[in-house]
């Protein structure tokens, strides 16, 4: 019997080894890309004559809630947020309303992208539950877009609000009361649509509501508004520009930073038309000589005084109608010492000024103890200028290409406020060839009014790399620019103060208009670039592309 079947054994072994040699992957089937759907709701979605305080939503699969606090928009807003349970995976959501609902009012609960299936996270996009406490559902709508008044890109999660234009509305309403209707641009949209609205007259406001309380806090929030009352129904596409208001000037209590220096924080702008707030330092009623300078990139001033052996000092600050007195203790601390450094430690570009920074304010300059020479040791003529507010000393001279410069400050060339002088100091810088730079001519088209500030900035519009001010010219030359992909920006300078000014909600004043060119301007080495800039064409940001990451699982045996 064994001999009869022995001839099949090699064949069985061959089949076994072939099956073991095969490799494969377990894919788990096709990826689920279908969003959950609503099977039923109680009361039914879009119900009228709504009563009670509970809503049940039943879905066709287990769902989970994501970022509900950001995504859920209830309009009109409720004073007390509803309780939505459970927060774990479920097929049934229960909404418990903790507010007294207004009569004859249509309510909308837009869940945004907060509802997603439990396994793959596919969102149930913009699901809305709508009900009315009256006899019908309000069905009117209003749409538009938001932009930032100054920045190239607008923030995410901007609230769009409608306030009823009735006898109760006044300038303080946006600070104290919630709106009648509200919606949100969420994280990727710059457009908005308010739905389920009642016919009437409204004030339209946009707000980057950082406190998420539907009330305007000018310290932290940005605001935009439509000047005229909006009548609904209305098919106009509204554009709202967000701006951060400049706070009224307010000084904070001074703090001692060294044996000869105070730090005074502030809100608002310490300058008015270029004139600094008046700061007076006193010791027992007698004025103490002082100098006020700015801390770069901080809302703080430095008040310098010569070392005193006193227990306390007083300080008075006056700006316009604002006045404040402070009294504070003085401790025995180490004094500041004079130190000077060059801003340009390597290459000096043709559009730059050779600049020295001191850590203490300078008061006296002896040009006879300063010497500037080139790479051939030839004397170079120069002038100096000092900006006390920023503590910067500018050394101006005719900059030549492919040159090296050496600046020497002999002892006593500068004296600071504390009567300290410098030791011997040497600073070196060099220049490139003109061919290493590019030139740009910007031709302005459709300028509505002058003057206009034309700026070249970094990609985000944050750092100004070059700026020109024009009161009539439409061809602006930017010569000897560093090679770079510049962002081109125009500012309509309505008040002619040569800087951008923000808006004011209370004054019903919009921010000065800013126009961005639609794409980057590429300035290359040894190139002359001519660029037409049509100021009548608004900048439209490209929609952000979302990258989908798929994880592939495989197994072998």
């Amino acid at each position: 019997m064994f001999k009869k079947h022995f001839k099949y054994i090699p064949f069985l072994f061959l089949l076994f080894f072939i099956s073991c040699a095969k490799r494969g992957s377990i894919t788990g089937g096709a990826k689920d890309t279908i969003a959950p759907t609503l099977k039923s709701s109680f009361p039914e979605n879009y119900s009228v004559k709504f009563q009670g305080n509970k809503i049940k939503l039943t879905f066709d699969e287990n769902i989970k809630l994501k970022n509900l606090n950001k995504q859920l928009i209830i309009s009109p807003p409720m004073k007390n947020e509803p309780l939505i349970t459970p927060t774990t995976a479920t097929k049934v959501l229960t909404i418990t309303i903790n507010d007294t609902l207004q009569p004859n009012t249509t309510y909308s609960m837009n869940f945004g992208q907060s509802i997603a299936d439990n396994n793959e996270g596919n969102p149930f996009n913009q699901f809305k539950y709508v009900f009315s406490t009256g006899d019908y559902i309000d069905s009117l709508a209003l749409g538009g877009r938001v932009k930032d008044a100054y920045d190239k890109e607008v923030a995410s999660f901007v609230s769009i609000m409608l306030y009823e234009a009735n006898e109760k509305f006044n300038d303080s309403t946006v600070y104290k009361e919630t709106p009648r209707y509200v919606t949100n641009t969420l994280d990727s949209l710059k457009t908005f649509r308010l739905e389920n609205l009642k016919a009437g007259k409204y004030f339209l406001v946009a707000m980057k509501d950082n406190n998420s309380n539907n009330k305007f806090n000018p310290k932290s929030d940005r605001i935009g508004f439509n000047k005229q009352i909006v009548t609904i129904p209305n098919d106009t596409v509204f554009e709202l520009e967000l701006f951060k208001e400049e706070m009224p000037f307010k000084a904070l209590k001074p703090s001692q930073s060294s044996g000869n220096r105070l730090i005074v924080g502030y809100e608002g702008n310490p300058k008015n038309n270029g004139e600094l707030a008046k700061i007076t330092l006193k010791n027992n009623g007698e004025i103490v000589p002082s100098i006020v300078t700015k801390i770069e990139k901080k809302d703080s001033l430095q008040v310098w005084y010569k070392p005193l052996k006193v227990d306390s000092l007083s300080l008075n600050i006056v700006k316009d109608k604002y006045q404040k007195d402070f009294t504070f203790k003085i401790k025995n601390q180490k004094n500041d010492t004079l130190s000077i450094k060059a801003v340009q430690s390597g290459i000096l570009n043709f559009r730059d000024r050779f600049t020295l920074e001191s850590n203490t304010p300078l008061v006296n300059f002896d040009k006879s103890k300063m010497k500037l020479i080139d790479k051939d040791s030839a004397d170079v003529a120069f002038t100096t200028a000092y900006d006390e507010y920023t503590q910067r000393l500018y050394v101006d001279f005719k900059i030549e290409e492919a040159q090296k410069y050496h600046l020497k400050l002999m002892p006593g060339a500068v004296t600071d406020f504390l009567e300290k002088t410098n030791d011997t100091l040497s600073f070196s810088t060099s220049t490139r060839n003109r061919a290493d730079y590019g030139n740009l001519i910007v031709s302005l088209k459709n300028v509505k009014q002058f003057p206009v500030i034309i700026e070249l900035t970094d990609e985000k519009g944050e750092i100004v790399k070059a700026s020109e001010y024009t009161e009539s010219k439409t061809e602006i030359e930017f010569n000897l620019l560093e090679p770079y992909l510049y962002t081109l920006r125009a500012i309509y300078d309505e008040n002619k103060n040569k800087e951008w000014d923000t808006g004011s909600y209370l004054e019903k004043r919009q921010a000065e208009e800013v126009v961005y060119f639609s794409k980057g301007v590429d300035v290359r080495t040894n190139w002359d670039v001519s660029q037409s800039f049509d100021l009548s064409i608004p900048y439209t940001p490209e929609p952000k592309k979302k990258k989908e990451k798929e994880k592939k699982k495989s197994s072998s045996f």
Side-chain angles (χ1 to χ4, degrees), residues 97 134 223 294 328 414 452 494 516 532 549:
I97 297 172
I223 193 168
K294 177 78 170 70
F328 43 88
V414 297
V452 179
E494 292 182 17
Y516 281 90
S532 177
K549 294 181 180 179

Side-chain angles (χ1 to χ4, degrees), residues 536-554:
S536 67
I537 301 176
Y539 166 75
T540 304
E542 294 182 3
K544 294 180 181 178
K545 295 180 180 179
K546 292 186 177 180
K547 295 181 180 179
E548 292 187 1
K549 294 181 180 179
E550 294 187 9
K551 294 181 180 179
K552 294 182 179 181
K553 296 180 181 179
S554 63

Side-chain angles (χ1 to χ4, degrees), residues 100-112:
T100 300
L101 299 178
Q102 301 175 42
N104 301 315
T105 300
T106 298
Y107 283 87
S108 169
M109 296 183 177
N110 189 333
F111 285 81

Side-chain angles (χ1 to χ4, degrees), residues 260 304 335-341 357-365 386 391 409-425:
N260 54 261
W304 301 84
N335 295 330
D336 291 299
T337 56
L338 174 62
S339 175
I340 298 175
K341 65 178 182 179
E357 281 183 332
S358 65
N359 71 321
T360 56
L362 305 178
V363 292
N364 288 316
F365 310 90
Y386 183 64
Q391 297 173 217
L409 302 186
M410 271 70 82
V414 297
T415 305
D416 73 3
F417 178 65
L418 305 175
E419 300 178 4
K420 301 297 182 183
T421 58
N422 64 289
D423 296 325
T424 301
L425 297 173

Side-chain angles (χ1 to χ4, degrees), residues 38 71 109 130 165-166 192 373 375 409 417 419 424 470 538:
L38 185 70
Q71 296 282 338
M109 296 183 177
V130 180
N166 54 29
F192 65 86
I373 59 174
K375 64 182 178 182
L409 302 186
F417 178 65
E419 300 178 4
T424 301
T470 173

Side-chain angles (χ1 to χ4, degrees), residues 42-210:
F42 183 82
E44 199 172 323
N45 204 357
Y46 291 91
S47 290
V48 296
K49 298 181 180 180
F50 182 91
Q51 295 178 345
N53 69 335
K54 286 194 183 292
I55 300 165
K56 286 190 180 294
L57 305 176
T58 303
F59 297 90
D60 64 340
E61 60 178 310
N62 278 337
I63 57 97
K64 58 185 176 184
L65 298 175
K66 301 190 303 181
N67 298 322
L68 188 66
N69 60 329
K70 277 191 173 183
Q71 296 282 338
L72 177 62
I73 305 296
I74 300 176
S75 185
M78 297 180 181
K79 289 184 179 179
N80 302 313
E81 292 185 2
L83 177 65
I84 300 178
T85 56
T87 56
T88 55
T90 183
K91 283 188 176 181
V92 181
L93 278 183
T94 300
I95 303 171
T96 303
I97 297 172
N98 297 317
D99 239 337
T100 300
L101 299 178
Q102 301 175 42
N104 301 315
T105 300
T106 298
Y107 283 87
S108 169
M109 296 183 177
N110 189 333
F111 285 81
Q113 294 185 317
S114 63
I115 297 175
D117 70 55
N118 186 52
N119 292 325
E120 298 293 343
N122 299 308
F124 188 2
N125 277 320
Q126 307 300 322
F127 166 67
K128 285 203 312 181
Y129 181 82
V130 180
F131 64 90
S132 174
T133 56
D135 295 330
Y136 57 88
I137 298 288
D138 292 320
S139 58
L140 299 176
L142 183 77
R145 54 182 171 265
V146 292
K147 61 175 288 192
D148 195 278
Y150 184 76
D151 293 335
K152 195 174 180 181
E153 302 290 342
V154 69
S156 300
F157 297 100
V158 176
S159 297
I160 314 299
M161 304 168 174
L162 282 176
Y163 297 84
E164 287 184 287
N166 54 29
E167 66 282 352
K168 293 182 180 180
F169 185 89
N170 56 51
D171 285 342
S172 66
T173 300
V174 298
Y175 301 88
K176 299 177 180 179
E177 305 294 335
T178 55
R180 171 71 177 182
Y181 298 105
V182 63
T183 189
N184 196 290
T185 61
L186 298 181
D187 60 346
S188 60
L189 299 175
K190 308 310 172 192
T191 58
F192 65 86
R193 186 169 174 81
L194 286 149
E195 297 180 324
N196 301 114
L197 308 178
K198 183 178 290 187
K201 296 182 182 296
Y202 300 90
F203 288 99
L204 176 61
V205 173
M207 198 183 299
K208 176 56 183 171
D209 182 18
N210 289 302

Side-chain angles (χ1 to χ4, degrees), residues 279-339:
I279 297 180
T280 306
L281 192 63
K282 291 183 179 181
N283 175 25
N284 291 325
E286 292 186 9
I287 294 177
V288 176
S290 61
I291 287 179
V292 179
T293 65
K294 177 78 170 70
I295 299 180
E296 190 177 9
K297 297 180 181 179
K298 289 187 178 181
D299 292 339
S300 297
L301 299 173
Q302 300 178 108
V303 181
W304 301 84
Y305 59 94
K306 295 176 182 179
L308 295 169
K309 290 186 177 180
V310 293
D311 293 328
S312 64
L313 290 173
S314 63
L315 186 143
N316 172 260
I317 300 180
V318 178
K319 181 179 183 286
D320 300 327
K321 295 180 180 179
Y322 176 85
Q323 180 173 318
K324 185 75 173 178
D325 291 295
F326 298 98
T327 301
F328 43 88
K329 298 289 186 182
I330 293 295
K331 299 176 182 178
N332 186 20
Q333 293 187 4
K334 187 177 179 181
N335 295 330
D336 291 299
T337 56
L338 174 62
S339 175

